[in-house]
Amino acid sequence: MKVLLCDEPGRLRLTERPEPVPAEGEALVRIRRVGICGTDFHIYQGKHPFLQYPRVMGHELSGTIERAPAGSGLVAGQNCYIVPYLSCGHCVACRKGVTNACQNISVLGVHCDGGMAELISVPARNVVPVGDTPLDDAAMIEFLAIGAHGVKRGGIAAEDRVLVVGSGPIGMSAVIFAKARGAHVTVMDLREDRLAFTQDALGADALLRADDEAEAKAGAATAGDFYDCVIDCTGNRAAMQRGFGFVGHGGRYVLVSVVRDDIVFSDPEFHKRETTLFASRNAQPDDFAEVVRQMQAGRVPTRALRTHRGALADGPELFRDWLRPEAGVIKAILEL
């Protein structure tokens, strides 16, 4: 089968590998679409801290079931998406049902080879039929689920005043699902084009440029109350630390972003506001289901989000092109 392999940073090549043989309890899926995310670009650029090369990337996956184990409920020929988080099922997190925080988690395309290949074999519990959902849309469910999980972690409700910091794809997902809950959503970033997109295509209620005057402008816009919930999706240490200052008294702060550095904040301010701080890691099954529900309800503008596409065989050239800021990529899809 054909596989797009990242041999080392900056080097992708199309090669051949034997077709996978499903182990007991695994389903064989023919991959049809692969969504490209920031993690894939970081792997390609050599910026991912926990990765060994060579690696087959790809964790935003949709395809068609080729073979499924008896009793799994899966049927050959069904279109599906793949949950890329392979949990152990027996650690303390898994026993609590928090499989997204599994102590032994292995993520397709990161810790083990992923779906930039014609076929993949994964545990049947990680394969979810999508019915009439188009394969293009199904390949976008995973990244949208991350934003949905962050919104859930923040306990966002109708009438909440929410600030989403960072208008990349995950930040956009947080906007979509916060709006779906009836919140008033402000988006903060430095990129004017991304800010405009969140308002024009996603319905953001207000925009805030992340300049030196952002705190003063946020205070003026909220009559000094600031925000019930702040969701950081920047992946930037300085921005994550700055975000504490935008949380209103009694508010919540959700860190969807993760960095290797320590995050430092003012303890007196943290206590004065009785801030609640949440980490948000990956997503859970109900987050994936929420994405599908909102897609079916027409609240996820997948066509607007899906800005670029190309064939798996053209991946080496496409990655170089899509990395350029002027390319304007929001979500790119590789087709097989």
Side-chain angles (χ1 to χ4, degrees):
M1 67 174 181
K2 292 182 175 60
V3 170
L4 189 61
L5 183 67
C6 188
D7 285 306
E8 59 187 11
R11 186 183 177 206
L12 281 174
R13 65 184 175 94
L14 196 68
T15 186
E16 293 279 341
R17 279 189 176 180
E19 293 186 1
V21 178
E24 184 178 355
E26 289 189 339
L28 185 67
V29 177
R30 183 166 296 279
I31 298 297
R32 298 297 190 185
R33 303 286 188 275
V34 182
I36 308 302
C37 88
T39 297
D40 299 312
F41 288 130
H42 289 156
I43 292 170
Y44 177 71
Q45 293 173 299
K47 294 181 179 180
H48 199 287
F50 308 117
L51 187 118
Q52 293 182 339
Y53 298 89
R55 177 63 72 225
V56 178
M57 298 183 290
H59 61 275
E60 300 179 6
L61 308 171
S62 67
T64 305
I65 297 169
E66 291 270 309
R67 196 185 319 160
S72 66
L74 303 175
V75 178
Q78 288 178 312
N79 286 343
C80 63
Y81 67 84
I82 294 175
V83 178
Y85 321 128
L86 307 183
S87 54
C88 71
H90 56 74
C91 73
V92 61
C94 288
R95 294 198 306 270
K96 293 177 180 177
V98 191
T99 54
N100 59 307
C102 170
Q103 290 178 298
N104 307 299
I105 199 166
S106 183
V107 179
L108 294 175
V110 181
H111 304 105
C112 59
D113 283 343
M116 290 189 187
E118 291 183 308
L119 292 162
I120 191 169
S121 183
V122 294
R125 65 177 179 271
N126 289 74
V127 178
V128 185
V130 293
D132 295 333
T133 300
L135 287 167
D136 280 352
D137 291 356
M140 300 170 68
I141 291 172
E142 191 271 343
F143 95 85
L144 291 163
I146 291 175
H149 185 65
V151 167
K152 181 181 72 178
R153 289 284 285 160
I156 291 171
E159 310 304 325
D160 270 350
R161 193 153 26 194
V162 176
L163 176 67
V164 176
V165 187
S167 57
I170 301 300
M172 291 180 184
S173 175
V175 172
I176 291 168
F177 292 98
K179 289 294 297 177
R181 290 183 174 218
H184 181 283
V185 180
T186 299
V187 185
M188 184 166 77
D189 204 312
L190 281 170
R191 284 187 58 170
E192 300 286 355
D193 59 332
R194 289 283 181 88
L195 287 173
F197 181 89
T198 63
Q199 193 164 56
D200 296 341
L202 309 181
D205 299 287
L207 307 177
L208 184 63
R209 183 172 169 77
D211 56 25
D212 293 340
E213 299 177 355
E215 285 85 352
K217 291 177 180 177
T222 61
D225 291 341
F226 289 90
Y227 300 94
D228 301 300
C229 186
V230 177
I231 303 178
D232 180 89
C233 305
T234 64
N236 179 280
R237 177 175 176 261
M240 293 163 75
Q241 293 183 164
R242 186 184 188 188
F244 284 89
F246 291 89
V247 182
H249 282 240
R252 293 96 64 198
Y253 190 21
V254 182
L255 296 179
V256 179
S257 296
V258 59
V259 292
R260 296 188 69 180
D261 306 301
D262 291 340
I263 301 297
V264 180
F265 57 88
S266 167
D267 186 61
E269 285 295 325
F270 186 75
H271 274 79
K272 184 173 71 177
R273 304 175 194 210
E274 200 176 47
T275 304
T276 302
L277 177 63
F278 293 97
S280 181
R281 185 185 186 193
N282 301 328
Q284 296 172 332
D286 62 316
D287 302 310
F288 284 82
E290 172 67 4
V291 173
V292 174
R293 281 194 297 271
Q294 297 298 345
M295 280 183 170
Q296 292 172 343
R299 297 193 184 99
V300 183
T302 51
R303 289 192 178 184
L305 292 166
R306 191 170 54 245
T307 55
H308 293 68
R309 66 189 310 122
L312 182 76
D314 297 326
E317 294 76 25
L318 292 172
F319 259 71
R320 286 192 291 270
D321 180 58
W322 289 342
L323 269 169
R324 297 181 300 109
E326 57 269 29
V329 173
I330 294 176
K331 179 55 58 178
I333 300 284
L334 288 177
E335 299 178 14
L336 288 83

